[in-house]
Amino acid sequence: MRQGFIYDINKCVGCGACRAACILENGWKVSPRMVYTYNSDALTIHPLLNLSLACNHCEKPVCLEGCPSGSYFRDSKTGAVIINDKKCIGCKYCKWNCPYDAPKFDARNKVIGKCNLCYTGLNAGRSPACTSACPTGALSFGDIKEPVVEKIPSWFPEKNLKPAIEFTGKQFNFPLTIIPDRNSDSEIPAAKYEKHLKPGLISLVVFTFLSTLSVGFIISSGIKGVFPDMVLFISLIIISALSSLFHLGKVFRAWRAVLNIRTSPLSLEIVLFVLYSALSVTGVFFQFPSLMIISSITGLLFMLSIDYVYNYAEKPKSPVLKSGQTFISSLLIISFLSESLIPFLFIAIIKTGLSFYSFFNSGTEGSFSLLKTIRIAFLIISAAALLYYKSLNNTMIAIFLIGELLDRIIFYIDFEQLNIKTLIIKHLTTSIK
């Protein structure tokens, strides 16, 4: 039988004693344990519930498997999933993958910090500090049973990771009773989940867009039977490589990103980028046709690996095709730059359909909707221009590439990892409608 946290959601009063004990015990610069509140605005049509949550030390930890630098390890005696901050590169990929918001980024040291289950004390026979400090008995530690679905909150994330946490006690879904009673029209509206491009993702927009453009450039040149402009192509590769470093906390540890190619999608992506860059730059510089072909194939595999990095983080129930994904974008760029009209129109129709689907199903308003409208317009203009002129000019190329850049930006704005914070907001907002 596994050991883990045992939690009675009806006993937690949100006092924060567990958080304080966790920080004091370990001297954290971050707060690995958080208390999440469902219905923090105390809407009378919903129960108010608190959930004290840190790392659940899952049986199938995506933080450990997805870490490109191999910074995570599991303690064999306690089962605790621990990070070695001396190896961490601060890429935050574990934050994307963990649905429980367990890894925390230490902005001062630029590495990840997380709950270590107080494993040294656990090996000495003591309980984790958070459980010892809980005054109501809501949080404890011990042998856990298989989860009972009825006892798990509906807004608790599920990725089939088998988290080491057991929920006990019956959940009460009755609404709050406020005295004196007030008309429900005066309720405070639930918080909305707003989408925007996070500053930390800008470097990734540059990296993925320029990488996609470079693949489209080299393959379209091969289709035309010419070599791409050497200065322009190598510049794309160099700028892509440099931009990829800006989102790392520890730039000088970037070499570690290739150490977990066996299980980490991000590690695989970096290995393929390095391989593609080496092959393509050598092929273009020395004008080797055979290397052009090999690098073109490697480039398309690299595009697929980029998409896999984000699919792994989102963990959709079924494969999802999005307009801004790099593989489909690279195919569109290839067909456009090579002036292959029929393939271009075919892919453009698919991307336009995906863009319209996203437009009408994302539930966003204002500037984000305007951005999507402009992107769709630029793609339609590009298709119409290629149909009319039959050949490219600089204005057409500029409009087309701006549209593709907008598409990649929209992809990152829409990118949504499974995370307890957003799930609580969405569940509450949806249930009110």
Side-chain angles (χ1 to χ4, degrees), residues 274-289:
V274 172
L275 183 60
Y276 159 70
S277 299
L279 290 171
S280 60
V281 169
T282 303
V284 171
F285 187 82
F286 293 103
Q287 297 196 346
F288 291 156

Side-chain angles (χ1 to χ4, degrees), residues 242-282:
L242 292 176
S243 63
S244 69
L245 300 176
F246 280 94
H247 79 288
L248 299 181
K250 297 290 185 180
V251 174
F252 294 107
R253 295 180 189 172
W255 61 273
R256 296 192 61 88
V258 300
L259 297 183
N260 193 18
I261 189 173
R262 187 176 62 86
T263 63
S264 174
L266 185 55
S267 196
L268 176 62
E269 175 202 301
I270 299 304
V271 168
L272 284 173
F273 173 68
V274 172
L275 183 60
Y276 159 70
S277 299
L279 290 171
S280 60
V281 169
T282 303

Side-chain angles (χ1 to χ4, degrees), residues 38-41 43 46-47 190-191 423-433:
Y38 177 79
N39 190 17
S40 58
D41 288 327
L43 302 177
H46 289 283
L423 279 181
I424 288 175
I425 295 174
K426 283 188 169 185
H427 187 274
L428 187 62
T429 305
T430 303
S431 60
I432 287 176
K433 293 179 180 179

Side-chain angles (χ1 to χ4, degrees), residues 351-423:
K351 290 198 72 169
T352 303
L354 292 171
S355 296
F356 272 113
Y357 179 82
S358 173
F359 185 90
F360 290 111
N361 287 276
S362 62
T364 55
E365 301 175 353
S367 58
F368 190 31
S369 293
L370 178 61
L371 191 66
K372 288 186 174 183
T373 302
I374 295 172
R375 187 279 169 279
I376 293 171
F378 275 32
L379 182 56
I380 293 174
I381 291 170
S382 299
L386 190 58
L387 269 171
Y388 183 79
Y389 292 106
K390 307 297 182 183
S391 59
L392 300 179
N393 57 53
N394 290 336
T395 302
M396 289 169 58
I397 293 173
I399 291 173
F400 171 73
L401 292 181
I402 291 172
E404 288 306 297
L405 175 58
L406 291 177
D407 206 20
R408 192 61 189 170
I409 292 173
I410 290 169
F411 174 87
Y412 277 99
I413 296 175
D414 258 338
F415 174 59
E416 191 173 302
Q417 316 95 290
L418 187 63
N419 185 279
I420 188 167
K421 292 187 293 187
T422 56
L423 279 181

Side-chain angles (χ1 to χ4, degrees), residues 314 320-325 328 351 354 411 414-416:
E314 287 185 305
V320 176
L321 188 62
K322 297 181 179 180
S323 176
Q325 288 176 324
I328 189 173
K351 290 198 72 169
L354 292 171
F411 174 87
D414 258 338
F415 174 59
E416 191 173 302

Side-chain angles (χ1 to χ4, degrees), residues 56-58 73-82 117 119 122 164:
N56 290 315
H57 304 277
C58 305
F73 66 96
R74 188 190 290 278
D75 180 60
S76 58
K77 292 183 179 180
T78 62
V81 178
I82 304 163
L117 203 59
Y119 74 105
L122 204 60

